[in-house]
Amino acid sequence: MFRFLFCRRKYGILIIQILSCYQLNQIALRSIMEPFNTPLKIREISLPHRAVFGPMAGFTDAPARRLMAQHGAGFTVSEMVSSRALVYGDHKTVSLLKAEPNGAPYGVQIFGEVPEIMGQAAAAVEQYAFDFLDINMGCPAPKIVSGGAGSKLMLDPDRCGRIVEEVVKNTSRPVTVKMRKGWDAEHVTAVECAKACEQAGAVLIAVHARTREQMYTPGIDPSIIAAVKDAVHVPVLGNGDIRTAEDAVRMVEETGCDGVMIARAALGDPWLFERVNAALEGLPRPQGAEPAGPDECPAPAGGGDGGAEGRVRCHAPGPGPDHALHEGPEGGRQPAALLL
Protein backbone atom coordinates (compact mmCIF):
# COMPACT_ATOMS: atom_id res chain seq x y z
CA MET A 1 0.00 0.00 0.00
CA PHE A 2 1.44 3.33 -1.01
CA ARG A 3 0.78 6.93 -0.23
CA PHE A 4 1.32 9.34 -3.09
CA LEU A 5 2.37 12.91 -2.60
CA PHE A 6 1.34 15.04 -5.55
CA CYS A 7 2.49 18.44 -6.65
CA ARG A 8 -0.22 20.04 -8.79
CA ARG A 9 1.07 22.21 -11.55
CA LYS A 10 -0.42 23.96 -14.59
CA TYR A 11 0.49 21.20 -17.02
CA GLY A 12 -0.59 18.26 -14.95
CA ILE A 13 0.18 16.32 -11.86
CA LEU A 14 3.79 15.61 -11.02
CA ILE A 15 4.48 12.72 -8.71
CA ILE A 16 7.36 13.97 -6.60
CA GLN A 17 7.69 11.14 -4.10
CA ILE A 18 6.27 7.76 -3.22
CA LEU A 19 6.48 6.63 0.36
CA SER A 20 5.39 3.20 1.50
CA CYS A 21 3.37 2.83 4.69
CA TYR A 22 6.38 1.17 6.24
CA GLN A 23 8.54 4.19 5.50
CA LEU A 24 5.93 6.54 6.92
CA ASN A 25 5.73 4.50 10.09
CA GLN A 26 9.50 4.57 10.43
CA ILE A 27 9.54 8.35 10.01
CA ALA A 28 6.80 8.73 12.61
CA LEU A 29 8.68 6.47 15.03
CA ARG A 30 11.90 8.43 14.53
CA SER A 31 10.06 11.68 15.22
CA ILE A 32 8.74 10.23 18.48
CA MET A 33 12.13 8.91 19.58
CA GLU A 34 14.23 11.86 18.41
CA PRO A 35 13.95 13.74 21.74
CA PHE A 36 15.40 10.70 23.52
CA ASN A 37 18.78 11.47 21.99
CA THR A 38 18.86 14.70 23.99
CA PRO A 39 19.18 14.95 27.79
CA LEU A 40 16.01 15.24 29.85
CA LYS A 41 16.29 18.06 32.36
CA ILE A 42 14.98 18.31 35.91
CA ARG A 43 15.39 22.06 36.24
CA GLU A 44 19.18 22.49 35.98
CA ILE A 45 19.93 18.75 36.21
CA SER A 46 20.61 16.91 32.94
CA LEU A 47 19.91 13.19 32.99
CA PRO A 48 22.39 10.98 31.10
CA HIS A 49 19.54 8.69 29.99
CA ARG A 50 15.73 8.70 30.07
CA ALA A 51 15.25 5.30 31.70
CA VAL A 52 15.45 5.82 35.47
CA PHE A 53 15.49 3.58 38.55
CA GLY A 54 12.37 3.96 40.69
CA PRO A 55 12.37 3.96 44.50
CA MET A 56 11.42 0.79 46.42
CA ALA A 57 11.35 0.46 50.20
CA GLY A 58 13.81 -2.19 51.34
CA PHE A 59 15.55 -2.36 47.97
CA THR A 60 16.93 0.93 46.69
CA ASP A 61 19.81 1.26 49.12
CA ALA A 62 23.18 2.77 48.13
CA PRO A 63 24.70 -0.44 46.65
CA ALA A 64 21.59 -1.10 44.54
CA ARG A 65 21.52 2.49 43.30
CA ARG A 66 25.20 2.34 42.41
CA LEU A 67 24.72 -0.87 40.43
CA MET A 68 21.77 0.49 38.46
CA ALA A 69 23.63 3.73 37.69
CA GLN A 70 26.60 1.74 36.42
CA HIS A 71 24.27 0.02 33.96
CA GLY A 72 22.76 3.27 32.70
CA ALA A 73 19.94 4.37 35.01
CA GLY A 74 19.28 8.05 34.29
CA PHE A 75 18.74 8.74 37.98
CA THR A 76 18.27 6.80 41.19
CA VAL A 77 16.14 7.48 44.27
CA SER A 78 16.49 6.55 47.93
CA GLU A 79 14.11 4.32 49.80
CA MET A 80 11.16 6.39 50.98
CA VAL A 81 11.73 8.07 54.34
CA SER A 82 9.16 9.32 56.82
CA SER A 83 8.71 13.07 57.05
CA ARG A 84 7.94 12.80 60.76
CA ALA A 85 11.05 10.73 61.43
CA LEU A 86 13.18 13.31 59.64
CA VAL A 87 11.69 16.14 61.66
CA TYR A 88 12.33 14.18 64.88
CA GLY A 89 15.92 13.46 63.79
CA ASP A 90 15.62 9.66 63.84
CA HIS A 91 19.12 8.30 63.15
CA LYS A 92 17.91 5.08 61.49
CA THR A 93 15.82 7.07 59.04
CA VAL A 94 18.68 9.45 58.26
CA SER A 95 20.91 6.45 57.47
CA LEU A 96 18.62 5.62 54.52
CA LEU A 97 19.69 8.87 52.86
CA LYS A 98 23.32 7.80 52.48
CA ALA A 99 24.61 9.03 49.15
CA GLU A 100 27.70 8.00 47.26
CA PRO A 101 28.86 9.16 43.83
CA ASN A 102 27.56 6.77 41.17
CA GLY A 103 27.53 8.83 37.98
CA ALA A 104 23.79 9.54 37.97
CA PRO A 105 21.68 12.19 39.71
CA TYR A 106 20.36 11.03 43.07
CA GLY A 107 17.03 11.92 44.66
CA VAL A 108 15.70 11.56 48.19
CA GLN A 109 12.06 10.45 48.52
CA ILE A 110 9.94 11.51 51.49
CA PHE A 111 6.40 10.56 52.45
CA GLY A 112 3.75 12.02 54.71
CA GLU A 113 0.25 13.46 54.71
CA VAL A 114 0.63 16.76 56.60
CA PRO A 115 1.81 19.63 54.36
CA GLU A 116 3.54 21.53 57.16
CA ILE A 117 5.46 18.47 58.39
CA MET A 118 6.48 17.62 54.83
CA GLY A 119 7.84 21.16 54.52
CA GLN A 120 9.79 20.77 57.76
CA ALA A 121 11.19 17.46 56.52
CA ALA A 122 12.33 19.13 53.29
CA ALA A 123 14.18 21.72 55.35
CA ALA A 124 15.69 19.00 57.57
CA VAL A 125 17.31 17.16 54.64
CA GLU A 126 18.81 20.28 53.06
CA GLN A 127 22.11 19.53 54.82
CA TYR A 128 22.57 16.20 53.00
CA ALA A 129 24.06 15.48 49.59
CA PHE A 130 21.43 14.80 46.93
CA ASP A 131 20.22 16.34 43.68
CA PHE A 132 16.42 16.46 43.88
CA LEU A 133 13.61 15.80 46.35
CA ASP A 134 10.84 13.36 45.45
CA ILE A 135 7.41 13.14 47.09
CA ASN A 136 5.76 9.74 47.46
CA MET A 137 2.10 9.77 46.42
CA GLY A 138 2.03 6.21 45.12
CA CYS A 139 2.95 3.72 47.85
CA PRO A 140 0.08 1.22 48.26
CA ALA A 141 1.33 -0.41 51.50
CA PRO A 142 -1.43 -0.65 54.13
CA LYS A 143 0.70 0.81 56.92
CA ILE A 144 1.42 3.88 54.76
CA VAL A 145 -2.08 4.54 53.42
CA SER A 146 -3.67 3.89 56.82
CA GLY A 147 -1.96 7.06 58.01
CA GLY A 148 -3.17 9.04 55.02
CA ALA A 149 0.13 9.08 53.10
CA GLY A 150 1.32 7.39 49.91
CA SER A 151 -1.39 6.61 47.39
CA LYS A 152 -4.09 7.68 49.87
CA LEU A 153 -3.21 11.23 48.83
CA MET A 154 -4.68 10.49 45.40
CA LEU A 155 -8.11 10.96 46.99
CA ASP A 156 -7.31 14.62 47.72
CA PRO A 157 -5.74 16.59 44.83
CA ASP A 158 -5.89 19.80 46.85
CA ARG A 159 -3.80 18.25 49.63
CA CYS A 160 -1.33 17.00 47.02
CA GLY A 161 -0.86 20.55 45.83
CA ARG A 162 -0.44 21.93 49.34
CA ILE A 163 2.18 19.29 50.16
CA VAL A 164 4.20 20.16 47.06
CA GLU A 165 3.87 23.86 47.85
CA GLU A 166 5.28 23.41 51.37
CA VAL A 167 8.13 21.20 50.16
CA VAL A 168 9.08 23.61 47.36
CA LYS A 169 9.04 26.47 49.85
CA ASN A 170 11.53 24.70 52.13
CA THR A 171 14.10 23.26 49.73
CA SER A 172 16.57 24.60 47.21
CA ARG A 173 16.42 21.37 45.18
CA PRO A 174 14.03 20.55 42.34
CA VAL A 175 10.89 18.77 43.58
CA THR A 176 9.44 15.76 41.77
CA VAL A 177 6.41 13.55 42.45
CA LYS A 178 5.72 9.83 42.09
CA MET A 179 2.01 9.03 41.93
CA ARG A 180 -0.48 6.39 40.81
CA LYS A 181 -3.43 6.36 38.44
CA GLY A 182 -5.70 6.93 41.42
CA TRP A 183 -7.14 5.20 44.46
CA ASP A 184 -9.60 2.83 42.75
CA ALA A 185 -11.77 2.59 39.64
CA GLU A 186 -14.14 5.22 41.05
CA HIS A 187 -11.34 7.61 41.96
CA VAL A 188 -9.02 7.97 38.96
CA THR A 189 -7.45 11.29 39.93
CA ALA A 190 -3.97 11.31 38.40
CA VAL A 191 -4.73 14.20 36.05
CA GLU A 192 -6.18 16.40 38.81
CA CYS A 193 -3.35 15.55 41.20
CA ALA A 194 -0.70 16.14 38.53
CA LYS A 195 -2.14 19.55 37.69
CA ALA A 196 -2.19 20.52 41.36
CA CYS A 197 1.41 19.36 41.82
CA GLU A 198 2.64 21.22 38.75
CA GLN A 199 0.89 24.41 39.81
CA ALA A 200 2.52 24.12 43.24
CA GLY A 201 6.01 23.83 41.76
CA ALA A 202 6.76 20.18 40.91
CA VAL A 203 9.15 19.95 37.96
CA LEU A 204 8.66 16.28 37.02
CA ILE A 205 5.89 13.73 37.58
CA ALA A 206 6.18 9.94 37.40
CA VAL A 207 2.93 8.03 36.94
CA HIS A 208 2.44 4.37 37.86
CA ALA A 209 -0.44 3.34 35.60
CA ARG A 210 -2.35 1.34 38.22
CA THR A 211 -4.67 2.38 41.03
CA ARG A 212 -3.91 1.59 44.64
CA GLU A 213 -6.69 -0.98 44.56
CA GLN A 214 -4.86 -2.83 41.76
CA MET A 215 -1.59 -2.92 43.72
CA TYR A 216 0.77 -4.79 41.32
CA THR A 217 -1.70 -7.01 39.48
CA PRO A 218 -0.81 -7.59 35.81
CA GLY A 219 -1.95 -5.03 33.30
CA ILE A 220 -1.52 -1.26 33.28
CA ASP A 221 -3.49 1.60 31.74
CA PRO A 222 -1.15 3.58 29.44
CA SER A 223 -3.96 6.02 28.65
CA ILE A 224 -3.68 7.59 32.11
CA ILE A 225 -0.01 8.40 31.47
CA ALA A 226 -0.99 9.95 28.13
CA ALA A 227 -3.73 11.96 29.85
CA VAL A 228 -1.30 13.32 32.44
CA LYS A 229 1.23 14.14 29.72
CA ASP A 230 -1.44 16.11 27.85
CA ALA A 231 -2.55 17.92 31.01
CA VAL A 232 0.79 19.25 32.31
CA HIS A 233 3.82 21.02 30.89
CA VAL A 234 6.52 19.39 33.02
CA PRO A 235 8.24 16.13 32.01
CA VAL A 236 6.23 12.96 32.68
CA LEU A 237 7.73 9.51 33.28
CA GLY A 238 5.73 6.36 32.56
CA ASN A 239 5.94 3.53 35.07
CA GLY A 240 4.56 0.01 35.28
CA ASP A 241 5.22 -3.38 33.64
CA ILE A 242 8.41 -2.36 31.82
CA ARG A 243 10.29 -5.66 31.69
CA THR A 244 11.87 -5.41 28.24
CA ALA A 245 13.21 -2.79 25.87
CA GLU A 246 10.16 -3.40 23.71
CA ASP A 247 7.89 -2.58 26.67
CA ALA A 248 9.67 0.76 27.09
CA VAL A 249 9.38 1.68 23.42
CA ARG A 250 5.71 0.71 23.43
CA MET A 251 5.02 2.90 26.45
CA VAL A 252 6.67 5.90 24.80
CA GLU A 253 4.75 5.31 21.57
CA GLU A 254 1.39 4.89 23.32
CA THR A 255 1.69 7.69 25.87
CA GLY A 256 4.14 10.29 24.55
CA CYS A 257 5.89 10.24 27.94
CA ASP A 258 9.30 11.88 28.30
CA GLY A 259 10.99 8.86 29.85
CA VAL A 260 10.35 5.61 31.66
CA MET A 261 10.77 4.56 35.28
CA ILE A 262 11.83 0.96 35.92
CA ALA A 263 11.77 -0.60 39.37
CA ARG A 264 10.90 -4.25 40.09
CA ALA A 265 12.07 -5.60 36.74
CA ALA A 266 15.60 -4.26 37.30
CA LEU A 267 16.08 -6.34 40.44
CA GLY A 268 18.31 -9.17 39.26
CA ASP A 269 18.52 -7.65 35.76
CA PRO A 270 20.33 -4.29 35.93
CA TRP A 271 21.33 -4.82 32.27
CA LEU A 272 17.73 -3.91 31.45
CA PHE A 273 18.74 -0.24 31.59
CA GLU A 274 21.37 -0.79 28.90
CA ARG A 275 18.87 -2.51 26.61
CA VAL A 276 16.15 0.09 27.19
CA ASN A 277 18.51 3.04 26.69
CA ALA A 278 19.77 1.58 23.42
CA ALA A 279 16.22 1.03 22.15
CA LEU A 280 15.03 4.51 23.12
CA GLU A 281 18.12 6.23 21.73
CA GLY A 282 18.14 4.33 18.44
CA LEU A 283 21.36 2.44 19.15
CA PRO A 284 22.19 -1.22 18.44
CA ARG A 285 21.23 -3.70 21.14
CA PRO A 286 24.27 -3.89 23.47
CA GLN A 287 26.21 -7.13 23.46
CA GLY A 288 26.33 -9.04 26.74
CA ALA A 289 23.63 -6.91 28.38
CA GLU A 290 21.69 -9.94 29.56
CA PRO A 291 21.27 -11.81 32.87
CA ALA A 292 23.37 -14.94 33.41
CA GLY A 293 20.41 -17.20 32.71
CA PRO A 294 16.62 -17.28 32.33
CA ASP A 295 15.96 -18.40 35.90
CA GLU A 296 18.75 -17.36 38.20
CA CYS A 297 22.04 -15.50 38.54
CA PRO A 298 24.86 -16.41 40.89
CA ALA A 299 24.96 -14.25 44.00
CA PRO A 300 28.25 -12.53 44.90
CA ALA A 301 30.61 -14.72 46.89
CA GLY A 302 30.05 -14.33 50.61
CA GLY A 303 26.94 -12.22 50.09
CA GLY A 304 23.92 -12.53 52.38
CA ASP A 305 23.03 -15.45 54.60
CA GLY A 306 23.52 -17.97 51.82
CA GLY A 307 27.14 -17.11 51.06
CA ALA A 308 28.58 -18.13 47.72
CA GLU A 309 26.00 -20.90 47.36
CA GLY A 310 23.03 -18.53 47.41
CA ARG A 311 21.22 -17.53 44.25
CA VAL A 312 19.26 -14.49 43.16
CA ARG A 313 16.13 -15.20 41.16
CA CYS A 314 16.27 -12.90 38.14
CA HIS A 315 12.92 -13.31 36.46
CA ALA A 316 10.59 -14.87 39.00
CA PRO A 317 7.19 -13.20 38.60
CA GLY A 318 5.43 -11.69 41.56
CA PRO A 319 2.98 -9.02 42.63
CA GLY A 320 5.55 -6.73 44.20
CA PRO A 321 9.21 -6.23 45.08
CA ASP A 322 9.20 -9.52 47.02
CA HIS A 323 9.53 -11.36 43.71
CA ALA A 324 13.30 -10.78 43.80
CA LEU A 325 14.67 -12.42 46.90
CA HIS A 326 17.95 -13.96 47.89
CA GLU A 327 17.58 -17.62 48.73
CA GLY A 328 20.32 -19.28 50.75
CA PRO A 329 20.90 -23.03 50.95
CA GLU A 330 18.81 -23.18 54.13
CA GLY A 331 15.94 -21.27 52.59
CA GLY A 332 16.88 -17.98 54.26
CA ARG A 333 15.50 -15.02 52.31
CA GLN A 334 16.96 -11.54 52.05
CA PRO A 335 16.13 -8.67 49.69
CA ALA A 336 18.22 -9.05 46.54
CA ALA A 337 19.24 -5.40 46.71
CA LEU A 338 21.21 -6.16 49.86
CA LEU A 339 23.52 -8.29 47.73
CA LEU A 340 24.08 -5.79 44.96
Side-chain angles (χ1 to χ4, degrees), residues 33-300:
M33 293 302 180
E34 187 174 350
F36 284 76
N37 292 319
T38 60
L40 178 64
K41 285 203 168 187
I42 305 177
R43 212 167 70 186
E44 68 275 7
I45 303 169
S46 293
L47 305 187
H49 301 287
R50 295 191 180 216
V52 306
F53 186 39
M56 290 177 286
F59 289 87
T60 51
D61 57 6
R65 297 193 303 267
R66 181 176 66 248
L67 180 68
M68 301 305 169
Q70 288 171 347
H71 285 281
F75 69 58
T76 65
V77 188
S78 72
E79 302 176 59
M80 65 177 182
V81 293
S82 164
S83 56
R84 282 186 171 83
L86 288 171
V87 171
Y88 298 151
D90 180 75
H91 294 295
K92 183 178 179 181
T93 297
V94 170
S95 69
L96 297 175
L97 306 181
K98 177 185 176 183
E100 53 182 71
N102 60 28
Y106 164 56
V108 165
Q109 187 185 73
I110 60 176
F111 74 90
E113 79 288 357
V114 180
E116 293 75 18
I117 295 178
M118 288 287 280
Q120 293 170 28
V125 298
E126 274 288 282
Q127 60 184 300
Y128 301 108
F130 63 96
D131 298 296
F132 62 94
L133 192 57
D134 188 63
I135 300 174
N136 184 310
M137 297 184 183
C139 180
K143 70 177 182 179
I144 301 299
V145 300
S146 63
S151 54
K152 190 65 173 287
L153 292 170
M154 301 301 293
L155 290 171
D156 192 345
D158 180 66
R159 181 180 290 267
C160 291
R162 286 188 286 118
I163 285 175
V164 172
E165 183 178 11
E166 286 295 323
V167 171
V168 169
K169 190 190 306 181
N170 285 279
T171 184
S172 61
R173 269 76 161 207
V175 175
T176 64
V177 176
K178 171 80 185 298
M179 64 175 57
R180 280 188 170 241
K181 174 181 177 179
W183 178 253
D184 56 25
E186 285 70 47
H187 300 88
V188 177
T189 55
V191 169
E192 292 83 355
C193 291
K195 285 182 176 179
C197 291
E198 179 189 35
Q199 186 172 0
V203 297
L204 178 143
I205 297 170
V207 182
H208 184 135
R210 292 183 178 90
T211 63
R212 190 271 173 176
E213 181 182 52
Q214 291 176 289
M215 298 292 282
Y216 297 97
T217 53
I220 61 168
D221 177 15
S223 68
I224 193 63
I225 300 173
V228 171
K229 175 61 183 172
D230 289 341
V232 300
H233 300 91
V234 297
V236 173
L237 302 180
N239 174 235
D241 285 1
I242 299 177
R243 300 186 180 91
T244 66
E246 292 74 21
D247 291 337
V249 171
R250 186 181 309 111
M251 178 170 283
V252 171
E253 291 176 345
E254 293 180 355
T255 70
C257 62
D258 300 285
V260 295
M261 178 174 281
I262 303 170
R264 294 175 295 146
L267 297 176
D269 184 11
W271 303 273
L272 179 58
F273 286 105
E274 297 181 37
R275 302 194 301 272
V276 168
N277 288 334
L280 293 180
E281 296 167 15
L283 301 174
R285 187 180 180 90
Q287 296 296 316
E290 304 287 347
D295 298 315
E296 55 183 27
C297 307

Side-chain angles (χ1 to χ4, degrees), residues 17-39:
Q17 193 172 11
I18 300 176
L19 296 175
S20 69
C21 288
Y22 172 78
Q23 290 172 315
L24 289 173
N25 288 337
Q26 290 299 104
I27 291 173
L29 181 58
R30 282 198 298 271
S31 67
I32 292 172
M33 293 302 180
E34 187 174 350
F36 284 76
N37 292 319
T38 60

